[in-house]
Amino acid sequence: MQSFTELTPPTAVTHSLSLPFLSASANNLLVAKTSLLQIFSLKSVLAETNTTSEHSIEARRASINAPASSKPIIGALRHGDRAPTTKLVLIAQYELSGVVTSLARVKIQNSRSGGEALLVSLRNAKVSLVEWDPDRYSISTISIHLYEREDTQGGPWEPDPDDNVSYLSVDPRSRCAALKFGARRLAILPFHQPGDDMVMDDYDSDIDGGKQETPKSTEKHEEEAKTVAKTPYGASFVLSMLALDPSLLHPVHLAFLYEYRDPTFGVLSSQVASSISLFHERRDTLSYTVITLDLEQRASTALLSVNNLPYDLFVVMPLRLPIGGTLLIGGNEIIHVDQAGKTNGAAVNEFGRSSTSFALADQSDLGFRLEGCVVEQLGHDSSELLLMMNNGELAIVGFRIDGRSVSGLSIRRVPEPNGGLALLAGPSCASLIGRGRMFVGSEDADSVVLGWSRKLDKLKRQRSITEMEADEDIGISDMEDEIDDDDDDDLYSGAKPEEKAAELVPTSEIPDQTDDYRFRVHDSLDNFGPMRSVALGRALQHLPADPQIKRAMGLEVLATSGRSRAGGLSTFRRQIEPRVLEQHLLPNVTRLWTVAVGKVSDRLVNDRQSEGLDNYIITSSQSEGEQRSTAYSLAKHGMEEVEDTDFDPDAGVTIDIGTLNNGSRIVQVLPSELRTFDADFGLAQIFPMTDETTGAEPRILSASFSDPFMLLVRDDESVLVLRADESGDLDEVEQGDSLGRKGFRAGSLYEDANDVFRLESDVEIEDDAGNVLMFLLTVAGGLQIFRLPSLEQHVYKADGLALLPPFLTPDFSVRRAQVKEDLIELLVTDLGDASHKAPYLVLRSATNDMIIYQPYQSPVIGSRETTLNFLKMPNPSFAKSSHTTSYGEDQESSREPMRAIDDLCGYSTVFLPGDFPTFIIKTALSPPQLISMCETYVQSLSRLNTSSCQRGFVYANQKGDIIYAQLPADCHYHTGWVTRKTIFGENVDAIDHHEPSRSYVIGVSRKVDFRLPDDETHPEWSLEATSFLPQVEQGTIKLLDQRTWSIIDEFPLTTAEVVMCIKTLSLEISEHTHERQTLVTVGTAILRGEDLPAQGRILVFNVIDVVPEPDRPETAHKLKLIAQTEVKGAVTALSEIGTQGFLLAAQGQKCMVRGLKEDGTLLPVAFMDMQCYTTVAKGLKGTGMCLMGDAVKGVWFAGYYEDPYQLRLFGKSTSHLEVLAADFLPYGNQLYLVIADANSNIHILQFDPE
């Protein structure tokens, strides 16, 4: 049983892959975020850029804090330019049972979607083969392969398989996949391809020349050709890498190569372990070996070997044509190896040539650090590579090519004005997703879609104007247009060299092109990790009277996020805090609507509104049994009641308000009739609900509008469809037998402008009313869809909607034992943002549960037609208690319905009013999320678009206030939380909240160059002449004002000193008066290298009141250092302990209790020896019990005695847990300990001395 939930879904991207997954012609991006798999499609839009050079930290801060619906495009473009922009659109996401270590694409026979399949490798040597199932609009697992058996493991002296990283590599022609796991184990998984075991198996038209005449097939061959393998894969087998080649004793990395007839991979390995301490004896220890596999014989052959390579190489990257060969990447150099074993390399820093005897070109002036870098080809037919380094810098790797041979390589930095710093931190993966487009994933910053362009005179291939214009078009099919057939890239290809050379880079020297490529960010995926520290604080809310004054509301979670230039803070709130603009007092309002109409006379509206803005607010109120409806005109100075018109306030309660005939007619829905008005509220028509045949007068329960139609649902379970003619008058649409039998509970109209539902009526319709669909919920819990204006027969019917199946289909069978949900409301509307919107079916139950269905098309076997199905979306939100305000006799009419809002600060949303007011918000990058408002009760809400409140909303609360508001512009909603990200441009290591001053104390650090100091005992230090200096971290303690989110004070630390932990504790500050005060305690570490022991300090600060700076009232607080002490070892954890206000500190290999003295010293009173590295130390408030967690040895539970002072061990964990976090979990009279280990497992331990 899972009794916990994640704060957010994983946001750090670890792996990515581009492939046609949903269909053979699709272009999809698959992203792995640790244990979350997301599937995206690509969408092209024209978006406006806003600055000249937006790669500075300030510009990226503004972009990150902007809402997803209005994010600017980061790039080197002029203000106002509209450029083609690629946006990501989420198709689906899935939580996997494991941590993803690799993603790979593979072509299989007879896939369900027609596209390619996905191979996913997980920890513990597990591989899953996954494909897309269009019938269920979901992924489907074909097979799972496990390689954890004991007979595949080595001897007892070999490391544990969990300590070795397992990764996957697939042959470019999808003939097999290789999983490297354990120390030196290789699992080979073959795949069946067309032509296996047939005469034509060895024939390839691109290799063997022209078209071969097909011989007459024998009966045996005909049977084999018709035979399809039961599974797309063959029997896998496990090999020891020593069996492939005895020299592969210490494998570093391997990958399958292009341009080979048989499956061939390159391995980077060494016969002796590389060691920095033995560098002078083991200088060039690595070898690169190319090995080809014979899958039938399960044998291998070594084709070539390159020895004496630099020790720091760590990646084998195969390259497609026109480059070919393999790129070997190290920390100080890049080396290219072609198919013949010829090498070319370049050293990128001063240590590149001094650390190896291998011949390298000198480019040490670049000063690059290549550890953790990612390299990707700039297009499938490009001869240049994009190098993305660990600090976010970009560089271009170019090659000199003579025919099919690489004669040299050159590396050049991308200048900052051209987007050289478009990435704020190092990447974790990269995938080419189209022409001039690449997805760059990161674990330390936001993952981005990176685009680039190049001037015509800088191109290596001359192209026509038509080709260049096509290059600007980034349609979704670009990926398929660019993908080279791997079968063409064969070592033994019969293509003439001169034909290939015409497409390649000239043999002339590569110029230093500093202005060739221009990079810009098209889209981004927010990343809130890594979260090194988390703090809880009181959120603040704006008051409309004075925006500078704020009042406290609920709790907020503040977490550190990002690294390097992407470092900052992320705020998480459970509720939306609207930005209040205006507030008016109108008591007893139960419902309200806004109306935007055409031309309005100056008599009714004093301040003329611009076109498209709202003109009126109409309210329905109830007071002491009296029901009124009032119309107000919207002016710059507030709301003015409309008088001297045909609008009758005493007509009764208003059920709904809408507009028809392109906004020229206002329709007022009353319980027993309809009234239509012109733009000046002149009465145009009264449409009564009297049945002329029976004389019955059914009452209207709800209405739905889609110009020119409107739908009425009445209390006798009947529906009525009306249509507005050219003059605006309403006429009843002739009904068929299906609607005449009644039995309907709710309905909704939706104009399917994009033909998503693909529903056609059997009756020929000659009408220009558009594709308007009517969705009806039957009393029995079924769904019926009609295409207006035809009401003769439904175009879609599904009877099992009330059973809430995960997949709703027309042939869904209803079982008697199944329990039906009491559905009372149905709404079909668009959900999304400015990038992408799509229709969803939203249902509401009698208990206020929200159910969301997504429509999709399922293919029909043997036909090109499709069938409409519905997929149930996950919804982790639970309904709260229902509170209704009865102002009618019928409870159904008293329930405020859901409201669809088409443009709420760029979002198309649905709002649920009541005592748990909730928005359904969806972005292009997330599924629909239910997020509540901070108001305790909302009577009614409607969209509001005026000059003073653009794309906002107006709502009525229980206090009688009419409030104009907007969504906060700097918040995001795709995680299910209201999130806000603030970038500081440096690492944020620790944080805690100081409640008395309403501020946060944060510890930050940045990398600085380290120089040897002047020392008389070491005169040789002054002879150091290197300019490529090592870097150390420099820490600073800063005070962050919660009201303005600005830094108001800071305290610098010494060189190489960083903040390890920050805690706000109530400590005793006087030994005589025993007075206690809320103080900020900071633990630091001074890291001076491996040859010197670490030291640390404990700093105690008080946040004092001072005179603020002019025009900066937030600077009324400063940090004052009141105590400090230096200790042996790093101070890794701090906590309050006991009842006397003492401090528990984990310092080095001890945990020590200290008391603050009046002279500014911290007196130790008790201690306990620890073992390795203490990651957590916490005391249970009000008691002497405490727990300490070790990174290797597990957790200790101890007790602190105050008379005499001592720490006594009560117990410890029996197993060696790698403790990362721990805390107390008291429940009644029982005491439990919660521990999180390094393998993402949660352990519950109980202290029971009996």
Side-chain angles (χ1 to χ4, degrees), residues 925-940:
L925 306 175
S926 70
Q929 304 286 354
L930 273 69
I931 306 177
S932 62
M933 279 180 63
C934 61
E935 286 282 352
T936 56
Y937 188 88
V938 173
Q939 297 277 8
S940 182

Side-chain angles (χ1 to χ4, degrees), residues 313-339:
L313 297 174
F314 59 90
V315 167
V316 176
M317 180 184 175
L319 300 177
R320 307 180 186 88
L321 286 179
I323 306 173
T326 306
L327 196 69
L328 306 179
I329 304 173
N332 306 312
E333 64 282 318
I334 294 178
I335 299 174
H336 178 268
V337 183
D338 65 8
Q339 287 79 6

Side-chain angles (χ1 to χ4, degrees), residues 1152-1216:
M1152 192 168 292
V1153 179
R1154 292 177 177 268
L1156 179 61
K1157 298 182 65 176
E1158 293 181 348
D1159 59 356
T1161 59
L1162 292 168
L1163 180 66
V1165 297
F1167 74 95
M1168 175 178 289
D1169 289 324
M1170 306 301 291
Q1171 293 197 8
C1172 295
Y1173 181 88
T1174 305
T1175 57
V1176 59
K1178 288 192 176 182
L1180 186 61
K1181 191 173 182 179
T1183 70
M1185 292 181 287
C1186 60
L1187 65 86
M1188 287 81 76
D1190 191 273
V1192 179
K1193 298 296 185 179
V1195 65
W1196 281 262
F1197 180 59
Y1200 167 64
Y1201 292 86
E1202 296 176 347
D1203 189 16
Y1205 295 124
Q1206 61 174 326
L1207 276 172
R1208 182 178 300 176
L1209 181 65
F1210 290 163
K1212 58 183 179 180
S1213 57
T1214 56
S1215 58
H1216 288 177

Side-chain angles (χ1 to χ4, degrees), residues 898-937:
M898 297 183 291
R899 291 286 182 90
I901 306 175
D902 57 354
D903 188 3
L904 184 61
C905 293
Y907 297 100
S908 294
T909 69
V910 172
F911 179 75
L912 174 66
D915 57 354
F916 188 61
T918 304
F919 285 101
I920 302 178
I921 299 181
K922 184 190 182 303
T923 69
L925 306 175
S926 70
Q929 304 286 354
L930 273 69
I931 306 177
S932 62
M933 279 180 63
C934 61
E935 286 282 352
T936 56
Y937 188 88

Side-chain angles (χ1 to χ4, degrees), residues 519 767 922 1216 1220:
F519 294 89
D767 202 307
K922 184 190 182 303
H1216 288 177
L1220 297 184

Side-chain angles (χ1 to χ4, degrees), residues 836-1046:
H836 179 74
K837 300 177 182 178
Y840 285 84
L841 172 64
V842 183
L843 303 172
R844 181 183 181 184
S845 69
T847 58
N848 269 355
D849 281 319
M850 307 291 291
I851 304 98
I852 304 174
Y853 277 91
Q854 176 187 2
Y856 71 93
Q857 299 293 330
S858 175
V860 178
I861 299 178
S863 174
R864 293 185 177 182
E865 297 181 354
T866 59
T867 302
L868 175 64
N869 295 332
F870 291 87
L871 172 66
K872 186 180 179 182
M873 305 299 294
N875 177 19
S877 301
F878 294 97
K880 304 297 181 180
S881 60
S882 177
H883 174 80
T884 58
T885 304
S886 178
Y887 54 87
E889 296 178 358
D890 193 352
Q891 184 180 359
E892 293 291 337
S893 64
S894 67
R895 189 189 299 268
E896 174 69 13
M898 297 183 291
R899 291 286 182 90
I901 306 175
D902 57 354
D903 188 3
L904 184 61
C905 293
Y907 297 100
S908 294
T909 69
V910 172
F911 179 75
L912 174 66
D915 57 354
F916 188 61
T918 304
F919 285 101
I920 302 178
I921 299 181
K922 184 190 182 303
T923 69
L925 306 175
S926 70
Q929 304 286 354
L930 273 69
I931 306 177
S932 62
M933 279 180 63
C934 61
E935 286 282 352
T936 56
Y937 188 88
V938 173
Q939 297 277 8
S940 182
L941 182 142
S942 180
R943 58 154 280 179
L944 181 64
N945 188 23
T946 64
S947 58
S948 61
C949 183
Q950 296 184 6
R951 301 193 303 171
F953 57 95
V954 56
Y955 67 94
N957 60 19
Q958 205 169 20
K959 301 177 182 178
D961 297 325
I962 303 298
I963 300 174
Y964 296 1
Q966 292 177 332
L967 292 179
D970 56 352
C971 292
H972 305 264
Y973 311 97
H974 51 265
T975 62
W977 292 70
V978 182
T979 59
R980 181 179 183 269
K981 200 170 183 181
T982 305
I983 299 298
F984 294 112
E986 50 190 354
N987 292 339
V988 182
D989 302 314
I991 184 175
D992 204 6
H993 184 242
H994 189 262
E995 178 68 24
S997 63
R998 296 290 177 85
S999 59
Y1000 287 95
V1001 183
I1002 60 176
V1004 302
S1005 62
R1006 65 184 185 278
K1007 291 291 184 69
V1008 296
D1009 291 336
F1010 175 77
R1011 292 182 178 272
L1012 292 173
D1014 295 333
D1015 194 330
E1016 296 180 355
T1017 59
H1018 295 279
E1020 70 276 8
W1021 289 0
S1022 61
L1023 302 178
E1024 185 181 30
T1026 179
S1027 60
F1028 191 67
L1029 297 173
Q1031 291 185 323
V1032 295
E1033 291 186 344
Q1034 174 71 49
T1036 307
I1037 302 170
K1038 296 186 177 183
L1039 188 63
L1040 176 68
D1041 181 66
Q1042 190 179 0
R1043 300 169 180 82
T1044 60
W1045 287 98
S1046 60

